Amino acid sequence: MATDWLGSIVSINCGDSLGVYQGRVSAVDQISQTISLTRPFHNGVKCLVPEVTFRAGDITELKILEIPGPGENQHFGDLHQTELGHSGVGYQVGINQNGTGKLVKKPASSSSAPQNIPKRTDVKSQDVAISPQQQQCSKSYVDRHTESLSQSKSFRRRHNSWSSSSRHPNQATPKKSGLKNGQMKNKDDECFGDDIEEIPDTDFDFEGNLALFDKAAVFEEIDTYERRSGTRSRGIPNERPTRYRHDENILESEPIVYRRITVPHNVSKEFCTDSGLVVPSVSYELHKKLLSVAEKHGLTLERRLEMTGVCASQMALTLLGGPNRLNPKNVHQRPTVALLCGPHVKGAQGISCGRHLANHDVQVILFLPNFVKMLESITNELSLFSKTQGQQVSNLKDLPSSPVDLVINCLDCPENAFLRDQPWYKAAVAWANRNRAPVLSIDPPVHEGEQGIDAKWSLALGLPLPLGERAGRVYLCDIGLPQQVFQEVGISYHSPFGCKFVIPLHSA
């Protein structure tokens, strides 16, 4: 009665400890109350062992998924007795005292019996420990399979005769090898061990099959599809899509106009910003008129000095190293700035810049010659500068003899050309050239003959003057001139600063 279920596909639930197994019934033993499944699946994953045996006490639920047709169970039973039952590579599932399930390896038969090779693992890796309580069950299982060892010899003879008859005529007979070669043979059987129903005697006709491929028809079909879909025809490379930077606008409503500033006179020199906007230079007379109109509308000299001082100090702090130099960890490396100022408005701009630098923990040494009467703007800026930690000197001997980090030049002024003949002016120029420190000029004059010190950087106010090569690299700062002030002097103006107050200019 139990043999009627051989070949059936069943699902066995062994509880939470062992899980659910599915496979085809290969053996049912009523005496030992065991059932064996071949080619089992554990929780939906194929097991690494070819056969698993369960005891009746381990089974919680058993479901029959498929019943074989008439005659199939008997054939499977005979096959199991020869191929699976005597292969010697089987496993038994048991539960020890603490409720943990284990796989117990069946004892192997004699070396003459054919071995069923387990897939994707080595036989040595399948050995597991057996508890003393399980050894008695394993012994009865060994006795049951040892009785039919004689039948395995007949199956081996039939298997060898079938292999010799199905071998290709040109195929050499495999030779016996040792353990190492046997392991390689197991791997070959795992990869190439599928049964071949029919082996062709003739070679494959590559030329004949290649002649069946109509290359022209296929290419014509591809071209037709590309024309209908709007893509380029075959052989022409597709255009790469335009790549945008993170600061570029993808959707443009109108074309970009790079010339947004026009002046009423002929431009002798033009500059451009990093974004490509054209900034024309203005003459000294037009620049002076622009500042006077701004002062008439309320942008007083005090406001302009403050704005110039903020922008110049911000640029100087960047040139000194910015946050890498000015941080609490570098208090022992405070930068030193020498500020050379003359007794005029440009000197007052330098004093304002020095006050902001001193407020940012920069060592500032201000040089200003002694005069009996000073401008009111210079007097006010000196009064504010004296409240800082900056140092004011009137003698060039008090300037540092060692190189400083930066020299800010505010000595030159076109309206006070006679000052260049003074001894203090010549001495200050000589000290700056001898110190070999980089020079920043604030609002330098137009003519190169009026510049006593060669600058590395120059800062222009509002709109640049046509500066020469001695001015170095030109920067432009925004001093807060309204757009209506530009229009009143005949300048069509659109701000080129964007989100900054100081921008670099390049010669166009």
Side-chain angles (χ1 to χ4, degrees), residues 61-334:
E61 182 182 4
L62 189 147
K63 295 182 182 180
I64 299 177
L65 304 179
E66 182 181 346
I67 301 176
E72 295 180 4
N73 54 353
Q74 184 66 26
H75 172 72
F76 183 82
D78 297 339
L79 180 62
H80 169 71
Q81 287 182 352
T82 59
E83 182 178 0
L84 299 177
H86 312 296
S87 62
V89 188
Y91 288 80
Q92 180 178 357
V93 178
I95 301 179
N96 53 18
Q97 293 180 357
N98 56 5
T100 305
K102 292 185 178 180
L103 292 178
V104 182
K105 181 183 177 182
K106 294 181 183 180
S109 60
S110 62
S111 59
S112 60
Q115 300 293 325
N116 189 10
I117 301 171
K119 297 185 176 182
R120 289 189 174 90
T121 183
D122 192 7
V123 177
K124 294 182 180 180
S125 63
Q126 298 172 358
D127 296 338
V128 295
I130 304 176
S131 62
Q133 292 80 2
Q134 296 173 343
Q135 292 180 358
Q136 185 177 0
C137 298
S138 302
K139 183 178 181 181
S140 61
Y141 184 85
V142 172
D143 296 338
R144 180 171 59 87
H145 286 277
T146 308
E147 295 176 357
S148 58
L149 287 176
S150 59
Q151 299 179 4
S152 64
K153 297 181 180 180
S154 61
F155 171 78
R156 182 169 57 86
R157 289 192 296 268
R158 293 197 303 268
H159 176 75
N160 293 337
S161 62
W162 176 85
S163 300
S164 60
S165 61
S166 61
R167 189 178 298 115
H168 194 271
N170 298 328
Q171 183 179 358
T173 303
K175 298 180 180 180
K176 295 183 179 180
S177 59
L179 178 60
K180 184 176 181 181
N181 295 332
Q183 294 178 354
M184 296 299 296
K185 182 178 179 182
N186 294 344
K187 295 181 179 180
D188 293 341
D189 292 340
E190 181 181 352
C191 184
F192 307 104
D194 294 340
D195 296 337
I196 301 177
E197 298 179 357
E198 182 180 357
I199 299 178
D201 295 335
T202 59
D203 296 335
F204 183 76
D205 188 5
F206 289 95
E207 295 182 358
N209 284 269
L210 184 60
L212 298 177
F213 175 68
D214 192 355
K215 188 182 347 182
V218 174
F219 285 158
E220 183 179 358
E221 183 180 355
I222 295 175
D223 294 339
T224 303
Y225 172 76
E226 290 181 349
R227 286 194 297 268
R228 290 180 179 177
S229 59
T231 58
R232 289 179 172 268
S233 60
R234 182 179 55 85
I236 302 178
N238 295 331
E239 294 181 355
R240 292 185 178 181
T242 305
R243 297 181 180 270
Y244 295 92
R245 299 196 310 268
H246 66 281
D247 57 347
E248 289 183 336
N249 186 17
I250 298 178
L251 301 178
E252 298 180 359
S253 57
E254 57 184 11
I256 301 176
V257 179
Y258 292 100
R259 191 177 296 274
R260 300 181 179 181
I261 303 176
T262 57
V263 294
H265 59 77
N266 295 329
V267 179
S268 59
K269 190 173 183 179
E270 288 185 343
F271 300 89
C272 63
T273 64
D274 291 338
S275 58
L277 297 178
V278 178
V279 180
S281 63
V282 295
S283 60
Y284 178 76
E285 291 76 12
L286 182 60
H287 191 271
K288 185 177 179 181
K289 181 179 180 181
L290 181 64
L291 296 180
S292 62
V293 172
E295 187 173 358
K296 183 182 65 176
H297 286 282
L299 189 63
T300 60
L301 178 61
E302 289 76 10
R303 289 188 176 184
R304 194 169 74 247
L305 292 177
E306 187 69 17
M307 194 66 184
T308 304
V310 170
C311 292
S313 61
Q314 183 179 5
M315 181 179 176
L317 291 174
T318 304
L319 297 177
L320 292 173
N324 297 325
R325 179 77 180 275
L326 300 170
N327 58 67
K329 296 181 180 180
N330 289 338
V331 292
H332 61 287
Q333 295 180 352
R334 293 173 56 189

Side-chain angles (χ1 to χ4, degrees), residues 10 40 78 262 307-308 318 321-322 342 380 403 440 459 494 497:
V10 298
D78 297 339
T262 57
M307 194 66 184
T308 304
T318 304
N380 295 335
L440 169 63
L459 183 63
H494 189 278
F497 293 97

Side-chain angles (χ1 to χ4, degrees), residues 40-51:
F41 285 79
H42 180 223
N43 294 332
V45 181
K46 187 175 182 180
C47 297
L48 301 179
V49 295
E51 186 179 10

